[in-house]
Amino acid sequence: MLAYLVKRLGASLLTALLATFLVFVFVRMVPGDVVAQMMGQAGSDRAEEALRAFFGLDQPVWMQYFAWLGDVLRGDFGVSWTRGMPVTEMVGEAFLVTLELGLLTLALATIVGVPLGIIAGIYEGRALDTTIQAFNILGLAAPVFWVGLMILVGVSATFSWSPPLRFQGPTEDLSENLAMLLLPILSLGFLQAAAYSQFVRQSVVSAMHEDYVRTAIAKGMPTRTVFFKHILRNVAIPIVTFMGLILIQILGGVVIIESLFALPGLGRLLLSAIETRDYPIVQGALLVVVVVAMVVNLVVDLVYHLLDPRLRIS
Amino acid sequence: MSDTVIRTRYGTGLSARIRREPGLWLGLAVMALLLLICLFPGLFATASPFEIDTAAALQGPSAQHWFGTDDVGRDTYSRVIHGARVTLSICAGSLLISALVGGALGMVSGFFGGLVDQVLGRLVDVMLSFPPIVLGIIITGVLGPELQNLILALSVVYMPVFFRIARAGSMAQANLSYVEAARSVGLRESTILRRHLVRNVAPLLMTQYMILFPLILQIQAALGFLGLGVQPPTPDWGALLEQGKDYILFAPWMSVFPGLAVLLTAFALILVGRALQGRIDSR
């Protein structure tokens, strides 16, 4: 188990390192850096050169990378080139917003999606299953930002209510904070509930067709016992796995939903940093995204091993 | 759909086949309609997608303008109709590049193994460590919102998925006895790869193409919505949504209908993709 964990961690670290390197080189390959954007037409060549030297952009890319990596390993992610604030602070603040949004969305998706999937799976092939599946496919087909827009229109037309304009953290003003997050959570949560429900349905259906379930029913075991003892227990493992998958999908979804609802999260920070060529922020934000995705995958793997005794032996 | 349902409904006529797999046929019908719209948008559109009429700006749906008009008085219905060709051809083309390049690399990687496999596998891991939409945003955001960059981004996003499927498929085939037999009669490795593996891996890639199509459509629309995709005045569903965003509370029809177009298309594609996947699985 420990050997496996070490191997997994090592592979993940290598991948993360490569990912940061590729991003680092990629953003620098393109003409039009932060200096050109700051100076516009006005800058003299000498001033531009001086500013490039200040940002270290005059160095070869690989030297810039190792300088950056060295700083990161010491916990220093640098300073934003356009705002002058520490990257750690800016990315950290944005990450907390995204994290709150992501976890609440996951909660909604789980509460709605898992029961729907179980019900659909149990009533496989009947009207209830068809209805739930139609919801699932609609949810998978709908673009998340469009659903957000429709909910926004619907809510403001029906309740003449619109979300607050300025974001406040949960510790500042919890009710304002939740009011701002409500619509993004609803739009993203329902779509991910559909995806979750579809996954869960499939694993319930395949569990229902297992021999041990048929045997249990044939020998007269009460349906309730069959469900809890044989089906739910076997479906628990895929449900956990899917939770990780859904969380990573949510991580992608929040990027768009944040820019729609003006939430100061990681996605919006990333978008604006790409636009202004603020490389330290781009690198910091993407590193967080990659690391979060990896940690989620790793945790899912570990839980998987804990839940499934068959995997523990090998 | 359970096996029992399929077995009890016999029949080979079209109506029997539709009854057996209603989802598949509904999806195919919508796809056929979309294909017609893409090929002959002029037959469906009621006005020019570019004609500006500021006197008729921001009008709600009416008999004359079925989906209303936008901020400069263009007919939203005709823009959605003409947008189908723009949006869907970009998605179809990008995904084709993705399948061809990813599939070819995956097959080579799985068949020959070794250093190539190691390097490509690592690269794919790196690409998969970003959520797809984030990868799309990085590429289009850094390179700029031009058509070739959009196509590049969209073809890179799901390339790792095709790679993995082709790799697994060719690895599974590489150990089968017919490959061994081909080798023993002296066929060259490249000939085996071309003649035998491609034929067996291609169906897997085609199914995956159908499954990924609705996903790439959503990413295309999302990039357009973020202003990183097709640029106005070209009618593209994502670009239409981006344009409608600022008028969402006064002229929601500008957003409702392009979004419905994406939804309906993705819905049909998912139905067909699921049916295909079911066939592959039951084989």
Side-chain angles (χ1 to χ4, degrees):
Chain A
M1 185 70 195
L2 193 68
Y4 169 80
L5 190 64
V6 169
K7 212 176 129 194
R8 269 294 310 261
L9 266 176
S12 298
L13 273 178
L14 187 61
T15 310
L17 213 60
L18 267 171
T20 58
F21 179 70
L22 286 181
V23 167
F24 200 95
V25 174
F26 180 65
V27 292
R28 280 167 176 76
M29 256 169 32
V30 186
D33 58 9
V34 67
V35 174
Q37 287 214 353
M38 281 178 170
M39 294 286 195
Q41 300 294 323
S44 68
D45 285 354
R46 269 186 59 200
E48 284 198 11
E49 252 168 57
L51 202 53
R52 271 203 187 97
F54 176 73
F55 288 133
L57 283 166
D58 55 340
Q59 306 279 324
V61 174
W62 61 270
M63 272 180 68
Q64 292 180 44
Y65 179 71
F66 283 110
W68 177 77
L69 192 63
D71 287 344
V72 165
L73 290 179
R74 267 176 269 127
D76 176 12
F77 285 76
V79 172
S80 159
W81 286 352
T82 54
R83 305 252 291 274
M85 277 158 67
V87 172
T88 339
E89 201 176 294
M90 288 176 69
V91 171
E93 265 174 36
F95 177 63
L96 285 182
V97 177
T98 301
L99 187 69
E100 189 191 3
L101 175 60
L103 289 180
L104 288 173
T105 304
L106 181 67
L108 178 66
T110 311
I111 292 167
V112 177
V114 171
L116 276 184
I118 291 178
I119 293 170
I122 290 174
Y123 291 97
E124 187 199 352
R126 301 209 224 141
L128 193 56
D129 177 30
T130 315
T131 316
I132 293 176
Q133 282 210 65
F135 163 76
N136 291 349
I137 301 181
L138 272 178
L140 290 169
V144 57
F145 56 92
W146 182 73
V147 173
L149 284 171
M150 294 303 109
I151 291 183
L152 186 67
V153 173
V155 166
S156 70
T158 327
F159 305 104
S160 11
W161 180 83
S162 56
L165 292 171
R166 201 177 73 83
F167 182 83
Q168 287 181 308
T171 45
E172 279 175 274
D173 187 338
L174 188 61
S175 66
E176 283 285 288
N177 171 261
L178 290 178
M180 182 120 189
L181 287 177
L182 180 69
L183 299 187
I185 291 171
L186 278 181
S187 21
L188 200 53
F190 272 109
L191 297 192
Q192 295 303 333
Y196 211 161
S197 150
Q198 194 61 18
F199 284 137
V200 172
R201 178 191 175 276
Q202 245 132 33
S203 46
V204 171
V205 165
S206 60
M208 298 264 290
H209 288 276
E210 290 284 350
D211 287 340
Y212 54 77
V213 171
R214 208 173 302 159
T215 312
I217 294 171
K219 74 178 185 191
M221 191 185 264
T223 321
R224 179 189 288 259
T225 322
V226 176
F227 175 70
F228 281 106
K229 252 188 130 166
H230 292 295
I231 295 176
L232 207 57
R233 201 182 270 189
N234 280 288
V235 168
I237 299 163
I239 286 181
V240 173
T241 321
F242 295 145
M243 197 180 271
L245 212 72
I246 295 282
L247 196 59
I248 291 176
Q249 281 188 23
I250 289 175
L251 193 63
V254 290
V255 176
I256 307 163
I257 215 78
E258 277 172 6
S259 72
L260 171 59
F261 287 102
L263 292 171
L266 209 52
R268 221 165 65 121
L269 183 67
L270 179 65
L271 271 173
S272 71
I274 288 178
E275 212 171 298
T276 54
R277 309 274 177 229
D278 193 340
Y279 301 155
I281 294 283
V282 174
Q283 284 144 213
L286 283 176
L287 186 62
V288 171
V289 171
V290 170
V291 167
V292 167
M294 276 172 185
V295 169
V296 169
N297 279 327
L298 200 65
V299 169
V300 164
D301 250 31
L302 290 181
V303 174
Y304 207 88
H305 271 81
L306 289 175
L307 280 181
D308 195 338
R310 281 169 298 185
L311 290 171
R312 238 177 286 161
I313 303 162
S314 58
Chain B
M1 254 166 281
S2 73
D3 297 349
T4 40
V5 178
I6 294 171
R7 278 194 212 112
T8 49
R9 287 186 193 162
Y10 279 112
T12 49
L14 186 63
S15 70
R17 290 169 83 171
I18 292 176
R19 246 180 292 127
R20 220 179 298 149
E21 287 181 291
L24 171 67
W25 290 93
L26 177 67
L28 286 176
V30 174
M31 277 171 65
L33 178 67
L34 283 166
L35 188 66
L36 279 179
I37 292 177
C38 287
L39 290 175
F40 313 107
L43 288 181
F44 295 86
T46 52
S48 153
F50 298 109
E51 203 183 284
I52 291 174
D53 177 9
T54 40
L58 296 175
Q59 283 180 2
S62 64
Q64 204 196 342
H65 300 291
W66 296 348
F67 294 175
T69 58
D70 69 4
D71 53 322
V72 289
R74 286 173 300 201
D75 183 53
T76 305
Y77 168 73
S78 301
R79 286 180 70 71
V80 170
I81 288 290
H82 281 272
R85 181 191 276 182
V86 177
T87 305
L88 296 177
S89 60
I90 290 174
C91 292
S94 310
L95 205 54
L96 188 65
I97 298 174
S98 200
L100 291 177
V101 177
L105 289 177
M107 263 189 274
V108 169
S109 189
F111 188 65
F112 294 112
L115 187 66
V116 180
D117 189 33
Q118 292 271 324
V119 172
L120 288 176
R122 185 56 63 191
L123 201 63
V124 160
D125 278 349
V126 170
M127 284 158 79
L128 285 172
S129 63
F130 297 100
I133 179 72
V134 174
L135 203 56
I137 288 174
I138 303 171
I139 297 175
T140 49
V142 170
L143 295 180
E146 274 141 47
L147 185 62
Q148 71 264 33
N149 298 338
L150 177 66
I151 293 175
L152 174 73
L154 292 176
S155 34
V156 164
V157 165
Y158 284 117
M159 211 175 264
V161 180
F162 285 113
F163 175 88
R164 286 210 162 164
I165 286 189
R167 180 175 177 274
S170 71
M171 270 171 89
Q173 298 287 330
N175 297 320
L176 293 183
S177 47
Y178 79 88
V179 172
E180 219 171 294
R183 207 170 276 150
S184 69
V185 297
L187 277 185
R188 274 191 312 188
E189 297 290 290
S190 59
T191 318
I192 298 175
L193 188 65
R194 230 178 319 120
R195 202 177 286 172
H196 297 292
L197 293 190
V198 171
R199 220 168 271 181
N200 281 292
V201 172
L204 301 177
L205 292 177
M206 282 192 250
T207 310
Q208 198 57 39
Y209 184 91
M210 279 306 301
I211 290 171
L212 289 177
F213 204 123
L215 301 180
I216 205 79
L217 172 63
Q218 292 189 350
I219 292 183
Q220 199 267 5
L223 291 176
F225 179 72
L226 293 173
L228 297 171
V230 177
Q231 297 299 305
T234 310
D236 163 79
W237 292 345
L240 288 178
L241 284 161
E242 199 266 335
Q243 190 196 348
K245 180 176 59 174
D246 297 334
Y247 301 93
I248 184 68
L249 292 178
F250 327 108
W253 53 86
M254 279 174 71
S255 302
V256 170
F257 295 104
L260 273 180
V262 176
L263 175 72
L264 188 70
T265 309
F267 192 82
L269 290 164
I270 293 174
L271 287 176
V272 176
R274 276 162 41 112
L276 286 180
Q277 176 83 61
R279 287 187 183 185
I280 291 266
D281 288 348
S282 62
R283 246 206 283 168

